[in-house]
Amino acid sequence: VQLQASGGGVVQAGASLRLSCAGSGRTFSRDAMGWFRQAPGKEREFVAAINWSGTATTYTDSVKGRFTISRNNNRNTGYLQMNSLKPEDTAVYYCALGVYGSHRSQYDYWGQGTQVTVSS
């Protein structure tokens, strides 16, 4: 399966962005989806995950209440709605498919990343 992340950009603090992750090659309705991010000089970190059916989600503490993960299995697409963006959210955001959870090792397929830059 191939994943294509999109929707990143340059915004001011307080703005919103919606990232999309489109899958191709096979249906991904059997997989959990995760979003991770990597800021310059830092390790890739977990942001959010959603299980295969969309009935369970989990977030890292720093984005709780601001970010929402969702998916549309009919469209083979996942989303990350990001509201009230902060400069510390600046990073390359990656989507991934695998087993529901917050560890990179749980995910087998990764997209290429989309840059999110938040200015103060």
Side-chain angles (χ1 to χ4, degrees):
V1 62
Q2 292 78 45
L3 300 175
Q4 180 76 34
S6 62
V10 180
V11 297
Q12 290 190 329
S16 299
L17 283 173
R18 189 175 82 153
L19 305 184
S20 298
C21 179
S24 61
R26 67 161 174 81
T27 178
F28 67 27
S29 60
R30 297 168 292 178
D31 303 282
M33 173 174 283
W35 285 94
F36 292 75
R37 65 187 180 186
Q38 188 166 17
K42 295 187 177 181
E43 291 191 357
R44 193 172 299 187
E45 64 172 0
F46 170 75
V47 177
I50 187 168
N51 70 343
W52 70 272
S53 62
T55 56
T57 59
T58 185
Y59 301 88
T60 192
D61 286 346
S62 63
V63 307
K64 285 181 181 177
R66 299 189 298 123
F67 290 12
T68 303
I69 189 172
S70 62
R71 65 191 297 161
N72 184 329
N73 288 341
N74 291 331
R75 296 185 176 183
N76 239 29
T77 303
Y79 306 96
L80 185 68
Q81 177 67 42
M82 307 186 295
N83 298 330
S84 302
L85 283 162
K86 303 176 181 180
E88 50 264 44
D89 295 319
T90 295
V92 176
Y93 283 70
Y94 299 88
C95 60
L97 294 181
V99 176
Y100 181 66
S102 61
H103 299 285
R104 286 180 293 173
S105 61
Q106 293 174 272
Y107 295 86
D108 299 314
Y109 303 97
W110 292 81
Q112 86 291 356
T114 184
Q115 176 71 47
V116 173
T117 302
V118 185
S119 61
S120 57

